[in-house]
Amino acid sequence: MTKFDVASEAYVYHYENGFTDEEAMSWDPNLQLAWSRAGAAKTCDVEFNKEKVIDGLIEEYGDPSLKEDFMERFKHDMNGIEFHHLQSKKIEGFCTAERIKEVKSLIPDFEVGEFSKPF
């Protein structure tokens, strides 16, 4: 999934308005929100404990069909955070003051397993 290339304009639109419908690629839109903000944190050099965030994602969005912990970790890391990081890092000017402020406000909650659910 990390090789999937999304047009920059489309990515920014969905980053700002939600990864819903087919843009969610069958993932929960609230999960996509968490992944996109963690990916943005990486893109914008906002320090965070990715392992703690992944622990919380597993707790909140665990998939019982993935019987091994490493499979869950891989899903949230590569299919989630890294995918969004790769999409956002190619967008010139992505790391605006407003986006950095939002990410900095959300990451502490993510690190303790609290994820907003606007969708």
Side-chain angles (χ1 to χ4, degrees), residues 22-53:
E22 64 269 6
E23 289 78 20
M25 296 183 278
S26 301
W27 299 106
D28 182 319
N30 294 306
L31 174 58
Q32 288 272 19
L33 179 111
W35 283 346
S36 67
R37 277 30 182 205
K42 185 171 179 182
T43 296
C44 301
D45 295 321
V46 173
E47 287 189 38
F48 71 106
N49 185 323
K50 185 161 70 166
E51 294 307 310
K52 282 186 177 181
V53 172

Side-chain angles (χ1 to χ4, degrees), residues 55-69:
D55 288 343
L57 290 167
I58 290 170
E59 183 69 29
E60 187 70 26
Y61 297 100
D63 183 348
S65 71
L66 298 176
K67 298 184 186 335
E68 302 293 330
D69 182 63

Side-chain angles (χ1 to χ4, degrees), residues 98-114:
E98 184 177 303
R99 286 196 183 115
I100 292 170
K101 182 179 177 183
E102 179 203 26
V103 167
K104 283 183 174 181
S105 74
L106 292 173
I107 288 295
D109 290 340
F110 290 3
E111 289 176 331
V112 296
E114 295 176 6

